[in-house]
Amino acid sequence: MKIGFNEGCNRFCENHSVLEDLDLCEKYGFDYIDIQSECLDREIAAGKYTIDDLGAWFADPKHHLKMLSYNALIFFNMKQTQEEKDAVMAKLDQIIADCNKLGCKMIVVVPSKDMKERGLTPTRKEIREDAVAVLKEMVKKCEPHGIRLSLEFCGEPSMTINRFEDAYAIVEEVNSPLVGVTLDQYHFYAMGSGWDTLEKADGKKIFVWHLNGTEDMPCGAYYNNDEKRLWPGEPGDCLDHKRYADTLKKIGFEGDVCTMEVFRPDYYKLSSEENIKKAAEVTKAHVAKYWAD
Ligand code: ZN
């Protein structure tokens, strides 16, 4: 099992820089990084580096670290006007161009939210049909580049796709080897996704595994959000890590990477180096404990 670092862990650490993260992830032994689009957009706009600088870093044969995913194309579904739909596809074109420069073969896609605020009250069926149609269009753009799409359901009430079973049903219906699910442990727990559905799933359709712990919060509570995430195994972490690992093994997860992703404000008080060092220790310990054989 290889180990990955997601910049959700350190995106707001002082003087954050994706380019620095690459060196630090390399230094502390990560195999992969998920680059957060919000960091890229913000830091490129500030002139810290260019996509080509990052591309040159990955192209350097001295470097072992690879980019696992572009994280993420956000709010891809339930667009109402042609203009909105075209904007999603234009964004995808830009992300594909960036991924080609970075040697990245996976784009995480995140569902839209806050339907009520837009005067919409879609059913699960309507959401599923829309997402399937959009993902089928997106695959056509990704296929020539060998880029895969990984749908990340998000465990909060306002999200249109907020449980594993809904994301998996969409991926099954799209039925493409290039479209899978991102299984984020926090998101799975936060809206009470069904272990029965995960246990019956085809592990090959899970492309990305986001590892984290979390405080124990009521399902769907408005204050149960990403900020409650913890390094796995920290005091107060309520997740059943053995069950996640054993289930992934049993269903044939082939992603071969365990990616740490927390968004805890306290951890942003660390320097980026302290944050990445700690993330590496915790991820290595997790893999040693649950994937030793
Ligand atoms: Zn995640």
Side-chain angles (χ1 to χ4, degrees), residues 198-246:
L198 181 60
E199 283 158 4
K200 282 192 298 235
D202 176 0
K204 292 174 192 62
K205 289 197 179 295
I206 296 172
F207 287 175
V208 178
W209 170 28
H210 285 167
L211 171 67
N212 39 60
T214 178
E215 293 179 55
D216 195 7
M217 296 287 156
C219 177
Y222 72 92
Y223 55 84
N224 180 7
N225 60 31
D226 286 320
E227 298 189 351
K228 301 298 182 190
R229 294 176 182 223
L230 290 162
W231 304 123
E234 287 286 293
D237 173 20
C238 71
L239 294 189
D240 186 345
H241 294 288
K242 184 172 188 318
R243 189 171 187 186
Y244 281 103
D246 287 350

Side-chain angles (χ1 to χ4, degrees), residues 132-144:
V132 168
V134 178
L135 286 168
K136 282 184 172 173
E137 278 306 302
M138 294 172 93
V139 170
K140 287 184 204 158
K141 285 183 178 285
C142 293
E143 202 159 20

Side-chain angles (χ1 to χ4, degrees), residues 152 184 187 210 229 261:
E152 183 158 1
D184 181 306
H187 289 316
H210 285 167
R229 294 176 182 223
E261 189 196 49

Side-chain angles (χ1 to χ4, degrees), residues 149-162:
L149 296 167
S150 191
L151 171 59
E152 183 158 1
F153 64 96
C154 296
E156 64 169 82
S158 67
M159 277 280 173
T160 48
I161 303 167
N162 56 21

